[in-house]
Amino acid sequence: MDEIDAVPSNSKHTESAEFEAKNGISMLPCCIKSDFKFESQNTKQLHKIIFNTGGHKRIRELVLTHSDLQNLPSSFILNLGNLIHLNLEDNKLSQLPLIMRKLLKLQHLNISHNCFKALSEDIGNLIMLQTLRLENNSLVDLPENICNLMNLRELSIANNSLKTLPNGIGKLAKLEHLDISGNLLEDLPKSMFQLTNLCHFNAASNKLSYLSESFTHLNKLRTLNLAHNVMYEVPYCLFTGLPNVSELDLSHNYIRNFSEAPNCTSKLRRLKLDYNSLLTLPQWIFRDTCKCLLKLDISCNKYMNGISNEIYSSASNLKMLDLSNCALSTTSVVFLHRLKSLEYLNMGNYKYRTVKHKMCAGNIFWDLPIGELKKSCHLQVLILCNVGLAAISEDIIQLKVLQYLDLSSNKLHWLPNSFSDLVNLKSCHLSNNTLAVLPVQLGNLEGLKELSLDGNQLHSLPESMAKLQHLELLDLYDNTLEEVPEVLRSMPSLKSLDLEWNCFDVLQSLKDDNFLDRYIQMKCSMRSRLTGFLSPRMDCKRPPLECDSPSLGYELCVSADYPNSSNFSEEMEREDFSGLSHCTSDINREEEEENWDLSDDINDSFDPSFLPTSQKKKVRHQRALIVMGSLISSPDNFCPADVHVPPVKTLGRSKRISALSFQAVEGQFDDIS
């Protein structure tokens, strides 16, 4: 049998001990941290020393977490009569020993993340309890005598299967924190009005459709979380009571109207109204009575019809504002010029939303609302992704302190030179645009750490980027680069890089290069950052611009450019290139008509009823034609008239006119009867 070495850190007495599991022990863990250190796998000796001797009666705190404990021994409590803190979190316990009721001095009990389906009535005997944590179990109900814990200040029953709460829960007069989130509650006991000391109440993720008026008397309540319920109206008690609520979360409900100011307007600091059915932004938010509001989230209200500029009458101290997916446009954000303290602003659109709110209206901005943001001298984060942004003005330099900028999934063709003057920028996302060049002085952004340029049309990088000595992430996937940019070798801090899906084979070009091993590591680092809902990336080069072989038609180019779109080539052939095929056949027919007399001279057996077939011309630049076809087919893109494919009817008409074009001579048709 192994020997156990006990090394007390305090020779006088022991006040706390922590246990950690080893090798799947299912009875008691075998390693004690803090005051004692045991190095043994023998649980019998550990059980004997800790629980069957009288030398450890002074232990005040015992932690037995993240083990596979399925039960506690009967002698567990005998020598721990002075225990104050007991943490049994994350085990496989399904019941507590009956002798547990003898821990009369116990004040904090944590049995969360276990397998409890019910609690023994003996829990009511621990009258000194101040904290009881029962979250993440399988509790269906609670014993009524849990209401005898008169000294309880914190009770957490989150993530269970409770359908009701004990009717006498109002007896817990000293309760300050109550968390009942993640259950199946449809109603709350009326006795809750007696919880006059309640400060934090979390009832998120239940089936509550209203909140009783009894909450009106809870004047000390500061945090109220009712997110993910089925409320169609703002609880009435917010207008008649609850004057000290500073954090209010009503997100993920069905609220349509919040025009009346709540009773806590002057104290409100954080407000979440996202994922509701609001038609307009509440007018009271920007009034003088709501000066303390610092964070506001009103994103993804699927019926939001823009924001009226008439409802804002005073300046605001708001620091964080989320207005994503709210049907905004450049003309409906005039109110932003009053938000001089704004630090975080999100007005983008997100493609990946919950099914419940998949029809959220989107924002549309053709240019940056610099005129409204120039007074926000503290703005550090700006998100305008997927809003149809077509240009950025030189005035962007007015956002001098900007540190995070997200303009991805827009229609940007170029960046102004003043973009290089945003010297405080640390993270910039320009993915999925149509950028062909970057500002020459982009290297002036010497503090830049992240730069995402994937999904553009870049064929080179400016040499000034060599000055980006702090750049750690650079994404160049899906561009038109023809070689590894030499400037990448002079970036010592670069840790994440992706050069695939360009116009060259990266691994082949770096075959005998010392940069190859480093690139493979950087590419792996980049791919590991990608989230799961994005399309998988390919390790290959883009198809060539010229397809010299007739067998390499545009179908091959389309299948290479769009590997996940099987029907794309058929649609392109049927729609975008229908005019092109007619045009080619008409040109060939015109050549045949012009050379018919030459055929007659060579072959005396010429038959006018038979036209010889001519060899079709080999169509080159198929990929360029595909791009041109996509430009022509899109009504949003301007294309000069000389590159448009002429309609078939126009070609036929012009040839018929040219074939019959002659000058009539006077009297030529006089003999016609």
Side-chain angles (χ1 to χ4, degrees), residues 650-662:
T650 305
L651 289 174
R653 182 180 180 186
S654 62
K655 284 191 290 184
R656 287 196 298 271
I657 294 176
S658 61
L660 298 174
S661 61
F662 58 88

Side-chain angles (χ1 to χ4, degrees), residues 439-673:
V440 177
Q441 300 300 327
L442 188 67
N444 292 345
L445 306 178
E446 297 183 0
L448 200 62
K449 293 185 177 181
E450 296 183 355
L451 180 59
S452 299
L453 295 168
D454 53 301
N456 282 281
Q457 299 176 8
L458 297 172
H459 59 84
S460 63
L461 299 180
E463 296 181 359
S464 64
M465 289 184 64
K467 296 189 294 184
L468 302 180
Q469 298 295 302
H470 299 286
L471 191 65
E472 298 178 358
L473 183 148
L474 178 59
D475 197 351
L476 293 170
Y477 180 84
D478 189 12
N479 277 277
T480 58
L481 298 172
E482 297 182 354
E483 60 181 358
V484 178
E486 193 64 26
V487 70
L488 299 179
R489 303 176 186 272
S490 57
M491 297 180 179
S493 301
L494 200 59
K495 299 178 181 178
S496 301
L497 173 67
D498 199 344
L499 288 170
E500 303 296 336
W501 201 243
N502 277 275
C503 297
F504 69 103
D505 191 332
V506 185
L507 298 181
Q508 184 65 27
S509 62
L510 295 174
K511 185 176 181 181
D512 299 324
D513 198 320
N514 295 330
F515 192 71
L516 177 60
D517 294 337
R518 183 186 172 196
Y519 169 69
I520 293 176
Q521 294 179 356
M522 291 189 293
K523 184 181 69 173
C524 294
S525 175
M526 175 67 73
R527 301 289 175 91
S528 64
R529 292 170 176 258
L530 300 178
T531 52
F533 57 77
L534 295 177
S535 301
R537 294 193 169 186
M538 301 176 61
D539 288 347
C540 59
K541 66 177 182 179
R542 300 170 68 92
L545 292 176
E546 296 187 4
C547 302
D548 294 331
S549 173
S551 62
L552 294 177
Y554 67 86
E555 294 93 348
L556 178 60
C557 296
V558 170
S559 62
D561 278 338
Y562 304 92
N564 296 327
S565 303
S566 58
N567 299 326
F568 184 81
S569 59
E570 297 179 3
E571 296 178 0
M572 294 288 287
E573 183 177 4
R574 184 172 58 253
E575 298 178 2
D576 294 335
F577 290 95
S578 57
L580 182 61
S581 60
H582 284 293
C583 178
T584 305
S585 61
D586 289 335
I587 292 174
N588 294 333
R589 192 179 303 114
E590 185 176 357
E591 292 177 354
E592 295 167 358
E593 293 175 357
E594 291 176 355
N595 297 328
W596 70 271
D597 52 346
L598 183 60
S599 301
D600 190 34
D601 293 340
I602 297 175
N603 187 3
D604 293 336
S605 61
F606 171 70
D607 184 0
S609 64
F610 174 75
L611 292 177
T613 58
S614 62
Q615 186 179 3
K616 293 184 179 180
K617 283 190 175 182
K618 182 169 58 178
V619 181
R620 294 175 176 266
H621 305 286
Q622 298 288 357
R623 185 160 163 248
L625 290 175
I626 294 173
V627 176
M628 183 187 299
S630 63
L631 291 173
I632 295 172
S633 62
S634 177
D636 298 330
N637 294 328
F638 169 77
C639 198
D642 57 346
V643 301
H644 280 279
V645 179
V648 178
K649 293 182 179 180
T650 305
L651 289 174
R653 182 180 180 186
S654 62
K655 284 191 290 184
R656 287 196 298 271
I657 294 176
S658 61
L660 298 174
S661 61
F662 58 88
Q663 263 191 333
V665 181
E666 185 177 357
Q668 181 177 0
F669 301 103
D670 291 346
D671 57 343
I672 300 177
S673 57

